[in-house]
Amino acid sequence: MKIPTPSLGLKTVFKGFFWLGSIVLMLTIAAGIAYLVSAQTNPSGKRIIKTLGDAVTISFDESDIPHIQAKNSTDALFALGYLHASERSWQMEINRRLSSGRLSEILGKETLAIDRFIRTLGIKHAAEKQFDRYPIATKRLLQSYADGVNAGNAHLGWALPVEYFLSGSKPGHWSPTDSVAWMLMMALDLGGNWHKELQRLELSQFLTTKQVWEVMPAYTPGEPVSHLDFAKIYQDINVFNPNPLARDQKSKNLPATELAINEVPGGKDGVGSNNWALNGKLTVSGKPLLANDPHLGLSAPAIWYVAHLEAPGLNVIGATLPGIPAVVLGRTDKFAWSFTNTGPDVQDLYIEQLDPKNPGVYRGPDGPLPFKVRQEIIDIKGEAPLRFLVKETRHGPVISESYARARRAIDTDRFVLALRWTALDTENQSVAGLLDMNHAKDLEAFKRALRKNYAPMQNVVMADTDGNISLQTAGVAPKRTLHQGLYGVAPALGWERQYDWAGYVPFDQLPNSNNPDAHWIATANQKMVSSNDPNPLTGDWDLPTRYDRIVELIKSKPEHDLNSMKTMQADTLSLGATPLLELFKSAQSKHPLAQQANELSRNFDGDMKIDSTGALIFNAWADQLSRQLFSRLGYLFTENYGTRNFRHPLILQIQNPNSPWCNDPQTEQIENCTDAANVALDKALEQLSTQFGNNPKNWLWGNAHIAVSEHRPLSKIPLLGSLFNLAQPFPGDSFSINVGRLELLRAKNPFETKQAASLRTLYDLSDLEQSLFIYQAGQSGWVQNKLYRNMSALWARNEYLPLQMKPQKISRQLELNIKEK
């Protein structure tokens, strides 16, 4: 059959479409080239800024660290703000919107839940009240930084980071209170005790208090900080939702206007850090060594930006947080400091009872009290605004009306849950404390500045060139008395005065140490108790696996140098795995690949090396064993497994071979822990063969344990996610010094990690110019810049870059002037 030839008219139309398409393509290519040429991804040259006080010179070294030289601190912080905006504009815009509950204005209803929760907490309101009480000199520094941010954004011109074009937005105005609000968000991310309180409340629907302690054990098993039967307290007042989900039901889909599970910042196990200091008695040089690696969520761009600030009375280099005008972790030319999260219990949930005749009041110790109420309006891209009321009790904001999980647990016709949190106090001046720390002339002045730190509470380990090493826990935590009341382990009755806070722990009663006889100091989120106050700061410390391993390695050599410090930071032996190895190696499986898997993992000793097959088989087995024991909790397991790892209760239960948790309630026979281990191995081998193929020799830990640095908010979008996210095979696990927390049920690949060492620093106090650093991304926030990802592979291999105040080479220079020269 002959195909008819198109008419002349159709040919003309096709030709027109062809030329039109070609023109559109050419214009697109031209626009792309113009954008890449115009985008100021490597700021250099001269800029005129009339709002600047005096000229500032910024030199970038080979590690792309900017060295800011100014004639006063005000201009130095202006320049830092300018650089933060120039290099990390989109990151700062997301941070600003997140902390003020305004993401939905540009991202739509998908972020409405988090906006509503942040508005309910009142993060920006609290920041404004706190800023009002800051000293005038500090306000000026914060204002100068904000002016620098706004100038930096303005100088980007039309060629903004591509995220702005994708979201149809532009950089917003940065104010001094945005910096204070971002500090509060850091405190929220590093807090989270209230999550554990809520979990214990939820579990009390189905378990006795004794059983709850088995699932969420005390730091010292059998010795909880509270002996109250909280499950009975809740049952006696009938606090629970009369229509709860059954234990074997899946969580219902939650409305977009309510915060779904795992969307609240904070509350994750393993959010912490490592730091340690050795004095000259234990070092080759005879001077101290100091190490630090904070464990935070991995993001792209990274949470940190390294910079050097120099002005009269100011000479400091280290890691800054875009949005905050200070070096948070770093050194001067005389001393260095490091942080780990103390993890104190600074958040308490209160069950507040409603008046059945008047929902506008709640029960107080001496009678009814009115709620404080304010209206919030959230603008939503493509939708009508959301208007809602935020209620506050005498303890704090009511969160059960904005967090679906809290709302689901209780009878909302009769009760609400309110949050008491130190960070929201108007007295909080943590940013002022950071600025004072940066200006400290010596270690003693630095310690005095720590008294201003309010939240988050940190274990600060320090060392100086005179040979001193010190520890000071800094921050605010409520006074508690061991074994009295609930001690913050579970929600308290709001109308009982006995559960109210009775002031804060005095600074001088917080844990501290100066030049100890052991010649070393180490913290890794383990239990910290002051010598003059026997009451611990929380009942929910992390397992001491990293701390114990650090101490073991410190004691393994008579003398240390920078190389041995690197080795320690790279260590991947998991003391969270070793207690399970005997049961793991005795487990029997009927799977066809069992014999081969057993041979490959026979010599596994708990070291989570990247090329280890045993590490992957063990972790798959431990994952399945945890599910075997605790999945009977239904949604209360599946919703928490990942934010909590359940390793501590697992270790405790397998110590009793006949633990009732090892029995499978769905079978007629009674199983023991050996039976559970066998079933877990069957499931693990099936999972690994499905995920990685039928050749166990290919089951390497690095093939599964991938460190993923996610971009906000493009990480989940196909193609874009792969462009903006960073991924590297990574060693370690949730319990090794070189930590890499497993995502477990929170990801399709349960073995990937999104939380690890967000930064590593090493300081040699015999020559501070030998200091080193690395983090998992790069200095730039521009995805098209090679400096967006240049540190990624180095970080994964535990390699470092120099952290020098006087670099030998300068790659480019930027001058900020107030007028043409």
Side-chain angles (χ1 to χ4, degrees), residues 639-680:
E639 290 177 356
N640 290 305
Y641 187 51
T643 52
R644 287 191 55 232
N645 53 56
F646 283 79
R647 182 59 58 87
H648 192 193
L650 178 64
I651 291 172
L652 293 177
Q653 291 309 314
I654 64 115
Q655 290 174 1
N656 173 13
N658 297 309
S659 167
W661 290 94
C662 289
N663 177 47
D664 186 346
Q666 297 183 351
T667 65
E668 293 183 0
Q669 64 268 31
I670 303 298
E671 290 91 0
N672 58 29
C673 292
T674 299
D675 298 323
N678 294 342
V679 172

Side-chain angles (χ1 to χ4, degrees), residues 270-305:
V271 176
S273 311
N274 304 317
N275 64 5
W276 62 90
L278 315 177
N279 74 9
K281 296 286 187 181
L282 298 179
T283 67
V284 173
S285 70
K287 290 286 188 177
L289 293 167
L290 176 66
N292 191 200
D293 52 292
H295 307 156
L296 299 170
L298 303 178
S299 64
I303 191 172
W304 303 106
Y305 178 80

Side-chain angles (χ1 to χ4, degrees), residues 447-469:
K447 290 178 185 178
R448 288 195 295 272
L450 290 176
R451 291 177 176 270
K452 285 189 179 179
N453 186 61
Y454 208 92
M457 180 178 275
Q458 297 288 291
N459 298 322
V460 188
V461 173
M462 304 152 271
D464 68 10
T465 54
D466 291 334
N468 299 298
I469 62 172

